[in-house]
Amino acid sequence: MLSIENLNLHYGHSQILHDISISAETGAVTCIMGANGVGKTSLLRAICGVHPRSGGDLSLDGRPLGQLPAHQLARMGIGYVPQGRDIFPLMTVLENLKTGFSCLPPSEHEIPGDIFELFPVLREMQHRRGGDLSGGQQQQLAIARALITRPRLLLLDEPTEGIQPNIIQHIGDVIRLLRDRGDMAIVLVEQYFDFAFDLADQFYVLRRGAVIADSSRENADRDELLRLVSV
């Protein structure tokens, strides 16, 4: 679904990402790991067009993407759940969900029933303001909003950050269900090692903006991965 070759990214004169090459398969969770500040969030921002890359090639389902802006990439099927969630605090849960309609034709402006099946708390709180929700509830809202855009590629940036354990477990269950449906690729950036290791089918480790290791789940050495991301 996603193929990246030699991606580079700069902030001003500082190069943040160096010749990143990764791929993400449909029906699988691809996990980007590494310590804080190694470029994981920058990589997701480059994939979804929030920050333009300096070089390299991206393709989605075999189609080269060029340097398209974020709104066009969203309409092509790239869903992004940013670190910190970025929900609209003064809008209701329902209104937040409906912002996902902007990526869809008018005939598809409806909230799929499975959204509330995946996240029952959102049905109960759909008329409450987003800012009144707990951090875990806001994270569920942010994921649901991305799913409304009907993504073929779902980017998740630190979905467990600041979340209570029972909701972390629920989010993990949702990610497994989405993977097992087999109709989207999922790229997960995650600092919570056990959560990431239990979910991922493919691992990439970044250090100083470059890929230093990659492994399929079948070939992954848990202790070695933990050592690499702890340095």
Side-chain angles (χ1 to χ4, degrees):
M1 179 57 70
L2 173 70
S3 178
I4 300 175
E5 295 290 337
N6 300 319
L7 184 148
N8 293 283
L9 181 144
H10 290 74
Y11 289 130
H13 296 294
S14 299
Q15 186 166 359
I16 306 302
L17 299 177
H18 303 263
D19 295 323
I20 300 289
S21 295
I22 69 170
S23 62
E25 301 293 333
T26 302
V29 175
T30 299
C31 187
I32 312 297
M33 308 180 81
N36 283 327
V38 299
K40 304 185 300 296
T41 290
S42 294
L43 176 58
L44 293 195
R45 289 168 62 86
I47 294 171
C48 70
V50 172
H51 188 90
R53 64 188 185 277
S54 310
D57 299 313
L58 272 69
S59 62
L60 185 69
D61 202 16
R63 176 180 176 180
L65 296 180
Q67 288 280 9
L68 295 177
H71 70 278
Q72 290 188 29
L73 293 174
R75 289 171 181 164
M76 292 176 64
I78 297 181
Y80 177 44
V81 182
Q83 185 179 20
R85 301 175 280 274
D86 284 356
I87 58 99
F88 297 99
L90 299 182
M91 295 170 61
T92 67
V93 166
L94 188 60
E95 289 167 339
N96 269 277
L97 292 173
K98 288 182 176 180
T99 62
F101 293 167
S102 61
C103 300
L104 303 172
S107 61
E108 297 180 17
H109 285 191
E110 60 180 8
I111 296 174
D114 65 347
I115 292 295
F116 292 130
E117 293 174 8
L118 292 172
F119 302 108
V121 69
L122 300 183
R123 185 195 303 275
E124 301 167 9
M125 297 188 171
Q126 59 184 301
H127 300 299
R128 294 185 62 178
R129 293 192 307 181
D132 294 335
L133 273 58
S134 70
Q137 292 163 349
Q138 289 183 10
Q139 186 66 69
Q140 293 176 79
L141 174 57
I143 297 172
R145 178 180 58 185
L147 293 177
I148 283 175
T149 69
R150 294 166 173 77
R152 293 182 291 156
L153 170 66
L154 180 64
L155 309 175
L156 299 170
D157 194 355
E158 303 277 11
T160 70
E161 184 179 39
I163 305 301
Q164 54 266 48
N166 64 316
I167 296 184
I168 289 176
Q169 181 179 348
H170 179 69
I171 288 173
D173 291 341
V174 168
I175 293 172
R176 288 186 187 90
L177 189 152
L178 295 173
R179 174 192 62 196
D180 293 346
R181 287 179 178 177
D183 59 0
M184 73 171 68
I186 300 171
V187 176
L188 171 68
V189 163
E190 185 52 62
Q191 289 274 50
Y192 182 5
F193 183 84
D194 290 339
F195 180 86
F197 190 81
D198 287 345
L199 280 173
D201 301 287
Q202 180 73 33
F203 301 93
Y204 290 92
V205 179
L206 298 190
R207 184 181 297 167
R208 296 180 181 176
V211 175
I212 62 165
D214 67 271
S215 174
S216 66
R217 181 170 189 82
E218 291 77 12
N219 297 320
D221 183 319
R222 186 185 188 282
D223 292 337
E224 176 64 9
L225 273 176
L226 182 58
R227 184 188 71 81
L228 289 173
V229 301
S230 301
V231 172

